[in-house]
Amino acid sequence: MFEWLGENWWALWLTAFLAFAVIEMITLDLFFIMLGGGSLAALVADFAGAEPWLQVVIFCIVSLLMVAFVRPVALSHLKKGPSEQRTNVDRLIGEPAVVMEAVTSDGGLVKIGGDLWSARSAAGVLPAGQTVVVAAIDGATAVVSVPPTAATGPDTA
């Protein structure tokens, strides 16, 4: 088997590309896909008749260049955009929530858009039934606070 692999480096590069692609799908970090690009470059070099040592050099150089130059540009394009295009839990920041169980700095339970979340208070104890605002998401816990209008009360000046 090792003899066959020594004669068929294309199989190694194709396997490496597929492995990097699967890892990238799991991590979504735009790092392993750059290594996958290096694997594809080495695969092309193999089909062009390059020696195995040259294929390894091509893999290393292309991967390094993609990590250094392509990844930062790709990340900046992914992270730019207006706030209304926020995704996942970032969309919850600033949303109203209803306290289901009293929320303290240690914990509690709130309902955000129909979903129940564990929560903790940014300041003070928030009683059940009170409307609050999501200030941040910390892992699977919503950090909530009193809305600014409710915190200041009516203006008497």
Side-chain angles (χ1 to χ4, degrees):
M1 179 172 147
F2 291 114
E3 182 179 314
W4 182 85
L5 279 177
E7 296 171 5
N8 297 288
W9 278 71
W10 64 268
L12 172 73
W13 296 120
L14 183 60
T15 304
F17 169 73
L18 293 174
F20 289 138
V22 168
I23 294 170
E24 181 63 37
M25 285 189 280
I26 294 169
T27 63
L28 298 174
D29 194 31
L30 292 184
F31 178 78
F32 290 99
I33 199 66
M34 301 301 148
L35 298 179
S39 298
L40 287 179
L43 178 67
V44 170
D46 181 61
F47 287 143
E51 293 293 321
W53 67 268
L54 184 57
Q55 295 172 33
V56 172
V57 169
I58 289 171
F59 166 76
C60 292
I61 290 173
V62 170
S63 296
L64 181 65
L65 290 174
M66 289 186 73
V67 168
F69 297 109
V70 176
R71 184 173 181 263
V73 172
L75 285 174
S76 70
H77 281 288
L78 282 177
K79 294 185 186 221
K80 76 176 184 181
S83 62
E84 61 266 7
Q85 291 181 348
R86 293 181 299 175
T87 59
N88 298 333
V89 295
D90 291 336
R91 291 192 96 140
L92 298 176
I93 297 172
E95 291 293 313
V98 177
V99 177
M100 303 305 289
E101 293 177 4
V103 177
T104 66
S105 60
D106 294 325
L109 193 63
V110 295
K111 189 174 205 175
I112 308 169
D115 294 322
L116 290 176
W117 280 74
S118 60
R120 70 174 188 267
S121 173
V125 176
L126 304 171
Q130 183 173 1
T131 300
V132 293
V133 174
V134 178
I137 301 293
D138 183 16
T141 303
V143 179
V144 296
S145 61
V146 178
T149 56
T152 58
D155 190 15
T156 56

